């Protein structure tokens, strides 16, 4: 594990924004078997609080607050849907979305299972194609609401499941799919180009306590960057 300060991409007296690596939980999990980003951060800032969370396998922007006043300030912005979040996702198939609005309510059960349901809460995501490769598409996803697994389900509902997201129908991205003369080893199963759901929290915009707008962008982690490189190489 790297030093906490290595994850920081923005910091002032009120907020700390990090670029979360994949496979680390945002906040402590119920089983508490693995350390979370919040626990790591509290070794440096005792009063740190998570302003929101992203899935464990998702990489990218995560905002923490340094004091209660800042937490209440940004919590209000989230509640009023004033925080703008942008995610990047590599999805299966070729898609030409032009600000496609996906408006499908989601019902979250007590066990964490999420399903599309008229009885669920309003859930809205805007999908925009950034680049279409040979068999995959890089999407910009803007969640207007912030439901659990919202982007993953809305992409799947748009027939564009996220690569590696087996829970919602996403298939692994394999080099043999995109490289014409790929030679596989008969003794070894082919490994996917990315071993997780190909989703990255790329940008966030919110207001500081003094009224100044804060814009932060998180670079791709190594695995997501390597995936994009291979897709571009054999496009």
């Amino acid at each position: 594990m790297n030093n906490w300060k290595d994850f920081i991409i923005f910091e002032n007296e009120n907020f700390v924004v990090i670029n979360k690596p994949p496979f680390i939980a945002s906040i402590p999990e119920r089983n508490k078997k693995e350390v979370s980003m919040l626990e790591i951060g509290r070794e440096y800032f005792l009063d740190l609080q998570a302003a929101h969370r992203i899935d464990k396998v998702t990489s990218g922007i995560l905002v923490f607050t340094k004091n209660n006043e800042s937490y209440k300030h940004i919590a209000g912005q989230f509640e009023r849907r004033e925080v703008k979040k942008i995610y990047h996702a590599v999805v299966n198939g070729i898609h030409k979305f032009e600000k496609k609005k996906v408006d499908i309510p989601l019902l979250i059960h007590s066990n964490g299972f999420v399903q599309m349901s008229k009885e669920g809460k309003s859930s809205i995501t805007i999908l925009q194609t950034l680049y279409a490769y040979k068999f995959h598409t890089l999407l910009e996803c803007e969640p207007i609401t912030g439901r659990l697994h919202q982007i993953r389900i809305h992409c799947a509902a748009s027939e564009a499941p996220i690569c590696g997201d087996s829970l919602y129908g996403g298939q692994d991205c394999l080099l043999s799919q995109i490289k014409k003369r790929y030679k596989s080893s008969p003794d070894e199963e082919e490994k996917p180009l990315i071993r997780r759901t190909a989703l990255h929290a790329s940008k966030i915009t919110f207001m500081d306590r003094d009224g100044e707008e804060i814009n932060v962008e998180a670079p791709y982690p190594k695995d997501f960057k390597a995936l994009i490189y291979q897709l571009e190489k054999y496009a």
Side-chain angles (χ1 to χ4, degrees), residues 88 90 194 196 198-200 220-228:
H88 286 183
V90 175
I194 188 168
R196 64 177 174 98
L199 183 63
H200 176 72
Y220 292 156
K222 288 182 179 180
D223 63 347
F224 201 98
K225 189 175 181 179
L227 172 62
I228 296 297

Side-chain angles (χ1 to χ4, degrees), residues 60-72:
I61 285 178
L62 194 57
V63 180
F64 295 92
T65 61
K66 290 184 175 181
N67 48 67
N68 286 331
E69 291 77 13
S70 298
Y71 179 81
K72 292 177 182 177

Side-chain angles (χ1 to χ4, degrees), residues 13 21 28 47 67-68 101 109 115 117 124 142 155 157-158 163 179 182 184 202 209 211 218 224 227 234-235:
E13 66 274 15
D47 297 326
N67 48 67
N68 286 331
K101 181 180 180 180
H109 297 271
Q115 67 176 133
S117 172
I124 301 171
E142 180 182 354
C155 283
S158 302
C163 293
K179 185 178 179 180
Y182 175 80
S184 61
S202 179
R209 289 171 59 190
F224 201 98
L227 172 62
Y234 298 107

Side-chain angles (χ1 to χ4, degrees), residues 204-219:
I204 196 166
T205 302
F206 62 96
M207 302 301 292
D208 204 346
R209 289 171 59 190
D210 61 2
E212 183 178 352
E213 187 175 82
I214 295 175
N215 293 280
V216 187
E217 185 170 355

Side-chain angles (χ1 to χ4, degrees), residues 41-185:
R42 281 182 173 170
E43 294 180 5
Y44 295 85
F45 307 100
L46 186 61
D47 297 326
L48 207 67
Q49 296 185 73
H52 63 121
R53 68 186 74 175
I54 57 177
D55 289 347
K56 185 175 181 178
V57 295
T58 302
S59 58
I61 285 178
L62 194 57
V63 180
F64 295 92
T65 61
K66 290 184 175 181
N67 48 67
N68 286 331
E69 291 77 13
S70 298
Y71 179 81
K72 292 177 182 177
H73 178 75
I74 195 170
Q77 292 178 68
F78 274 109
E79 186 175 349
R80 296 186 298 271
R81 300 181 184 177
E82 295 172 349
V83 178
K84 182 175 181 179
K85 295 180 291 180
I86 297 294
Y87 289 72
H88 286 183
V90 175
V91 302
N92 298 125
I94 304 299
H95 307 277
K96 296 181 180 180
F97 297 141
E98 291 290 340
K99 298 295 181 180
K100 174 183 172 67
K101 181 180 180 180
V102 185
D103 187 353
I104 302 175
L106 299 177
L107 181 62
I108 304 174
H109 297 271
S110 58
N111 62 359
F113 177 71
V114 186
Q115 67 176 133
M116 296 180 287
S117 172
K118 294 180 180 179
E119 299 176 355
K121 293 184 178 180
S122 172
S123 305
I124 301 171
T125 306
I126 307 298
L127 303 180
Q128 175 70 38
T129 294
L130 294 179
Y131 196 90
Y133 302 102
K134 187 177 294 184
F135 301 109
H136 305 83
T137 305
L138 177 63
L139 295 183
E140 177 181 280
C141 311
E142 180 182 354
I144 305 303
T145 53
R147 313 302 178 201
L148 181 66
H149 294 182
Q150 175 179 313
I151 294 175
R152 297 164 63 182
I153 295 175
H154 282 179
C155 283
S158 302
E159 300 183 351
I162 300 176
C163 293
D165 189 6
S166 58
L167 184 61
Y168 298 111
Q171 302 297 313
D172 284 334
C173 184
L174 303 173
L175 186 59
S176 60
Q177 296 172 333
I178 61 177
K179 185 178 179 180
K180 290 183 178 180
R181 298 182 179 180
Y182 175 80
K183 293 183 179 180
S184 61
S185 172

